[in-house]
Amino acid sequence: PFGSFETFNDKLKDQILADIQQDFNNAKTYIERLPKSARRATRLAYRYYEALLHELDRKPASSITSERVRVSSYKKASLLIR
């Protein structure tokens, strides 16, 4: 529904990220409904992928298709202790 690798551009990137952000917003409300034993790991995964989404948002589409986008080790560590 969002085009192809060949047609990937900043407008398409923004549409995809907006769709993912909506999914994140919906998911966040359900984390507290999970069994207590699953919440911490789920929150950590949520924060990690939210940070990755932020990194993708900061990059132009042309670099996303040609470079690795990652969350820094420092940021990962800070997510873990938060």
Side-chain angles (χ1 to χ4, degrees):
F2 287 111
S4 68
F5 186 79
E6 292 79 22
T7 62
F8 190 69
N9 58 30
D10 287 322
K11 182 179 177 184
L12 186 56
K13 179 197 85 157
D14 292 342
Q15 290 174 338
I16 293 169
L17 294 182
D19 185 58
I20 294 169
Q21 185 62 58
Q22 184 61 45
D23 290 342
F24 270 55
N25 294 343
N26 293 334
K28 190 173 187 176
T29 62
Y30 291 97
I31 292 175
E32 294 307 316
R33 296 181 186 180
L34 291 171
K36 191 172 183 175
S37 61
R39 283 185 215 152
R40 184 165 190 241
T42 305
R43 269 193 223 107
L44 179 60
Y46 177 89
R47 288 193 302 255
Y48 171 78
Y49 284 107
E50 190 174 47
L52 184 57
L53 187 66
H54 177 71
E55 292 299 320
L56 289 167
D57 190 40
R58 294 177 39 194
K59 303 244 181 217
S62 59
S63 73
I64 291 173
T65 59
S66 62
E67 298 174 12
R68 180 178 175 209
V69 179
R70 63 183 295 273
V71 176
S72 71
S73 297
Y74 175 79
K75 179 67 175 176
K76 288 179 199 173
S78 72
L79 293 173
L80 185 59
I81 59 175
R82 219 171 50 162

